[in-house]
Amino acid sequence: MAPKRVTLADVAKLAGLSTTAASMILNGRPDTRLSQDAHERVLAAAAELNYRPNVAARGLRTQKTRTIGFISDRVATTRFASGLIEGALAAAGAADHVMLVLETGGEAKLEASALEAVLDRQVDGIVFASMRARELYIPELPAGTRSVLLNATSQGHAVSVLSDEYTGGRTAVEVFARHGFTDGVAVLGYSEEAEHGLFRSVAVSRRVDGVKDALAEHGIDVAVWESVWLWDADTGYVAAKKILRRHPGIRALLCMNDRLAFGAYQAIQEKGLRIPDDISIVSFDNDELASYLRPGLTTVALPHEQMGRHAVSLLLSDDAAPGERLVPMPLIERSSVID
Amino acid sequence: MAPKRVTLADVAKLAGLSTTAASMILNGRPDTRLSQDAHERVLAAAAELNYRPNVAARGLRTQKTRTIGFISDRVATTRFASGLIEGALAAAGAADHVMLVLETGGEAKLEASALEAVLDRQVDGIVFASMRARELYIPELPAGTRSVLLNATSQGHAVSVLSDEYTGGRTAVEVFARHGFTDGVAVLGYSEEAEHGLFRSVAVSRRVDGVKDALAEHGIDVAVWESVWLWDADTGYVAAKKILRRHPGIRALLCMNDRLAFGAYQAIQEKGLRIPDDISIVSFDNDELASYLRPGLTTVALPHEQMGRHAVSLLLSDDAAPGERLVPMPLIERSSVID
DNA sequence: TATATTTGCTAAATCCATTCATCTCGGGGT
DNA sequence: ACCCCGAGATGAATGGATTTAGCAAATATA
């Protein structure tokens, strides 16, 4: 039914020229000495036949495929970090590239085969993404294969894109500072283990550092640091309940992420207290939840989409200077902080 | 640094045979008459050099790339439907294929160029996915290009994978039936407009049909159908408040999706009522939210991952019979229904 | 007028794997 | 001694582009 693919040879024949000429013209090579007339004929022929170059054939010759590989642990999968893919996809599309997406679930065996799969397809570059900022082991790549780490770091000199957690931590505290809180503040989710570098991600400890420094600078007195290991809604609920019971004077609560905050909302509202009138809350991540909550949760956003975008444009640019690129974490103000 | 790619010629040379022989042996062609000895030498050489075929070169010859295209409106992007990608990715990986993922945001111009981009790369098949089940327009594809619609339907005889909304609708009602509810039931989110086919998706009207039929069959009396247009947390909150005010006798609430249920929880708890003691709730989708809620929300799940998986295996199988493939919607029982 | 340049264009090699068409060699049949 | 046959293997064409090297005609230079 549909006609078979048009090749460069077809275009050349219709234009009455060689494939060499057609190729040069269609690729807009600057140094060509072909006539104006030849240009017009080739372009017209290509348009008429609706010519599209065969990427495999071109890639074979040029080693460029306008394709990038995106290898992640569970980024597409997890609703949480899917913004990373979204941004990467958008940036790739804007640069007229496509993206091969592979997920490994963090398994070493799958990681190796995913890497082979993209390498076999001669991708122009690879993004190694991680759901939560952590240290990744990246095997040696063939010479000339560019790569960028997204939401991850790695030993050695790789380029990596991360959220600026330290400044983000400060931003959250500054909300309280701006609203005049100097005491009656509780922090939920600070983790001793993270602090001592046991495991978890670099992100966590930087976020905590930012919080601590800003707290000190603004002279804010912290009534209680409630350290929990799992940062989810359930732990948030339990921990917030405990804080409320033991420290009835709390007027402001800083949660280390939105799921904790979600749990805290439940505990607070169950107790008949009102947000933000009785207790103000600031949190991190800007999870989808934050907008559903009532009142809306003020939170320091994880700029996932921006990060994905940045990673891909870095990969495609010629800025390969090793090191970290920090993407700012914007404050999303809703209604969980009293005026 | 890293050595340059090993080609088939290198393998052949090391094995002391022609590339023809090497190719035949490595591809395990059944009709070959090459000696056992030759087989061993080639296999050994390939292993020693860690040979990996160049997919572009092979694809050029065979027209097969072991790559499939996944074109969606906003699937990766939206946290909601990302299970579709997850499943598709898993199935592709299991079949030793990779997936090119492209997002169009639903814009016709981007749809066309996305299609061209994957066609240029000679994909073996294309999945057209949609975030919410709806009618899609699929342009004519080159002969021999297979395609499957995922969470979408299309005019004509395309193959499509959908959730079994009708049965899902019945499932939800049956939960109430099993727990002996015969009256005091409210339905939230039924949409007149959808019913009249104004727009929205096929999914919605089938879901509603299933609910209605099951309600009738079990002789359950519905006190109020609250029809809302936008199915999000905010509308759910407002609508549930209204129901509670006007129909104080309500003991069971069926929400058409989890975001509505989320809003309903807020309204119910604000009023001092308890779930499930005072009001039981059943909903649809199994959004991530459903597990955060307290008590956990019983909901009929959208089997996104299964659907994605099914779509890809269908694409790769030789079952191309046109028509719909319905994937069952499992009931996820949590604690929002009284015993 | 004879030689050097420039202009406009093309033949052929190349990228790498697959595959069709043959080719060689040794043994069996007559 | 001659032909045939099959096992074992390979040369060369193929797919569709890019790119190097170079040819022929037109123009400029001496």
Side-chain angles (χ1 to χ4, degrees):
Chain A
M1 39 196 68
K4 82 158 197 281
R5 269 192 95 88
V6 175
T7 71
L8 184 62
D10 299 325
V11 173
K13 196 193 307 171
L14 181 59
L17 287 167
S18 65
T19 60
T20 307
S23 172
M24 290 174 136
I25 289 169
L26 290 174
N27 288 306
R29 303 190 57 120
D31 60 330
T32 191
R33 292 179 316 225
L34 294 162
S35 65
Q36 188 59 38
D37 180 55
H39 275 81
E40 280 160 17
R41 271 163 33 223
V42 168
L43 263 12
E48 182 182 336
L49 299 175
N50 190 25
Y51 169 68
R52 306 230 85 219
N54 178 320
V55 175
R58 170 184 285 170
L60 192 54
R61 194 72 241 268
T62 62
Q63 315 286 19
K64 298 241 155 286
T65 51
R66 302 196 83 74
T67 301
I68 83 181
F70 186 100
I71 300 181
S72 67
D73 47 3
R74 292 180 69 78
V75 167
T77 261
T78 180
R79 316 181 188 302
F80 176 57
S82 61
L84 292 173
I85 280 218
E86 176 175 6
L89 237 23
D96 191 27
H97 280 239
V98 295
M99 232 169 72
L100 280 171
V101 177
L102 310 222
E103 298 235 314
T104 66
E107 288 174 52
K109 213 189 309 176
L110 284 180
E111 272 167 12
S113 69
L115 184 56
E116 282 188 334
V118 301
L119 252 19
D120 287 351
R121 286 168 179 82
Q122 324 279 132
V123 294
D124 296 345
I126 304 179
V127 174
F128 292 96
S130 161
M131 189 176 78
R132 55 170 97 199
R134 63 183 178 110
E135 180 94 11
L136 235 46
Y137 164 71
I138 304 296
E140 194 191 0
L141 300 176
T145 304
R146 308 217 22 199
S147 68
V148 168
L149 296 179
L150 176 54
N151 205 28
T153 55
S154 174
Q155 295 290 2
H157 43 279
V159 181
S160 60
V161 174
L162 296 165
S163 49
D164 187 354
E165 296 285 340
Y166 178 79
T167 311
R170 303 184 59 102
T171 304
V173 171
E174 279 155 12
V175 174
F176 287 149
R178 258 205 315 284
H179 287 81
F181 289 91
T182 51
D183 57 5
V185 173
V187 178
L188 173 51
Y190 159 73
S191 167
E192 296 285 350
E193 293 86 351
E195 179 69 0
H196 298 333
L198 260 158
F199 37 113
R200 285 268 204 183
S201 67
V202 281
V204 169
S205 61
R206 291 182 187 174
R207 185 180 289 184
V208 170
D209 285 347
V211 167
K212 288 177 131 178
D213 287 359
L215 245 16
E217 279 174 34
H218 290 285
I220 296 178
D221 186 47
V222 177
V224 51
W225 292 89
E226 186 67 27
S227 177
V228 292
W229 175 244
L230 235 188
W231 290 8
D232 66 5
D234 231 56
T235 356
Y237 174 77
V238 174
K241 245 175 133 157
K242 182 167 144 198
I243 292 178
L244 257 22
R245 185 160 15 92
R246 300 208 190 150
H247 305 266
I250 292 302
R251 304 298 315 277
L253 179 61
L254 178 57
C255 295
M256 293 308 275
N257 81 1
D258 290 343
R259 301 219 301 287
L260 286 172
F262 181 80
Y265 262 59
Q266 294 171 325
I268 291 169
Q269 290 170 339
E270 205 176 282
K271 197 152 184 125
L273 296 173
R274 289 179 331 177
I275 302 169
D277 311 71
D278 299 316
I279 298 190
S280 291
I281 300 191
V282 171
S283 170
F284 291 91
D285 290 2
N286 194 33
D287 200 321
E288 197 177 21
L289 283 175
S291 67
Y292 292 164
L293 254 16
R294 157 173 303 271
L297 176 60
T298 290
T299 186
V300 178
L302 232 23
H304 280 147
E305 206 213 309
Q306 285 276 353
M307 290 166 67
R309 213 178 267 279
H310 195 57
V312 167
S313 44
L314 211 53
L315 192 67
L316 264 21
S317 79
D318 34 34
D319 169 14
E324 296 180 351
R325 309 290 195 283
L326 299 181
V327 180
M329 298 179 71
L331 174 68
I332 310 294
E333 301 212 60
R334 296 203 178 84
S335 328
S336 61
V337 177
I338 199 165
D339 264 332
Chain B
M1 38 197 73
K4 83 158 195 284
R5 269 194 95 86
V6 175
T7 71
L8 184 61
D10 299 326
V11 173
K13 197 192 309 171
L14 181 59
L17 287 167
S18 65
T19 61
T20 305
S23 171
M24 289 174 140
I25 290 170
L26 290 174
N27 289 305
R29 303 191 57 120
D31 60 330
T32 191
R33 295 181 313 226
L34 294 161
S35 65
Q36 188 59 40
D37 180 57
H39 276 81
E40 280 159 17
R41 290 196 338 257
V42 168
L43 261 14
E48 182 181 336
L49 298 175
N50 190 24
Y51 169 68
R52 306 230 86 218
N54 179 320
V55 176
R58 170 184 286 170
L60 194 54
R61 198 71 242 268
T62 63
Q63 317 288 12
K64 297 243 156 287
T65 51
R66 300 196 84 73
T67 301
I68 82 181
F70 186 101
I71 301 182
S72 69
D73 46 5
R74 292 180 70 77
V75 167
T77 261
T78 180
R79 320 187 183 300
F80 175 57
S82 60
L84 291 173
I85 279 216
E86 176 175 8
L89 237 23
D96 191 27
H97 279 241
V98 295
M99 231 169 71
L100 280 172
V101 178
L102 309 226
E103 298 236 313
T104 66
E107 287 174 52
K109 213 189 309 177
L110 284 180
E111 272 167 13
S113 69
L115 185 56
E116 282 188 334
V118 301
L119 253 19
D120 288 351
R121 286 169 179 80
Q122 323 279 130
V123 293
D124 296 344
I126 305 180
V127 175
F128 293 95
S130 161
M131 188 176 80
R132 54 169 97 201
R134 62 182 177 109
E135 180 94 12
L136 235 45
Y137 164 70
I138 304 296
E140 195 191 0
L141 300 177
T145 304
R146 307 213 27 195
S147 67
V148 169
L149 296 179
L150 176 53
N151 205 27
T153 56
S154 174
Q155 295 289 3
H157 44 278
V159 181
S160 59
V161 174
L162 296 165
S163 48
D164 187 354
E165 296 285 341
Y166 178 80
T167 310
R170 302 184 60 102
T171 303
V173 170
E174 278 154 12
V175 174
F176 286 149
R178 258 205 314 284
H179 288 81
F181 288 92
T182 51
D183 57 4
V185 172
V187 179
L188 173 51
Y190 159 73
S191 167
E192 296 285 352
E193 295 85 349
E195 180 67 2
H196 298 334
L198 261 158
F199 37 111
R200 286 266 203 180
S201 65
V202 280
V204 169
S205 60
R206 292 182 186 174
R207 184 180 290 184
V208 169
D209 286 347
V211 167
K212 288 178 131 178
D213 288 358
L215 246 14
E217 279 174 34
H218 290 283
I220 296 178
D221 185 50
V222 176
V224 50
W225 293 90
E226 185 66 28
S227 176
V228 294
W229 177 243
L230 233 187
W231 291 7
D232 67 4
D234 231 57
T235 356
Y237 174 77
V238 173
K241 244 176 134 156
K242 182 167 143 197
I243 293 177
L244 258 23
R245 185 159 15 92
R246 301 209 190 149
H247 305 267
I250 293 300
R251 304 296 316 276
L253 179 61
L254 177 57
C255 295
M256 294 306 277
N257 81 359
D258 291 344
R259 302 218 302 287
L260 287 171
F262 185 92
Y265 262 60
Q266 293 171 327
I268 290 168
Q269 290 170 339
E270 204 176 283
K271 197 150 184 128
L273 296 172
R274 288 179 332 176
I275 303 167
D277 311 71
D278 299 316
I279 298 189
S280 292
I281 300 190
V282 171
S283 169
F284 290 92
D285 290 3
N286 194 31
D287 200 320
E288 196 176 22
L289 284 175
S291 67
Y292 292 165
L293 252 17
R294 157 173 303 270
L297 176 60
T298 290
T299 186
V300 178
L302 233 22
H304 280 147
E305 206 212 310
Q306 287 276 355
M307 291 167 67
R309 212 178 269 279
H310 195 57
V312 167
S313 44
L314 212 52
L315 192 68
L316 262 23
S317 79
D318 35 34
D319 169 15
E324 295 181 352
R325 307 291 195 282
L326 299 182
V327 180
M329 299 178 71
L331 174 68
I332 309 294
E333 301 211 62
R334 296 204 179 82
S335 329
S336 61
V337 177
I338 198 164
D339 264 333

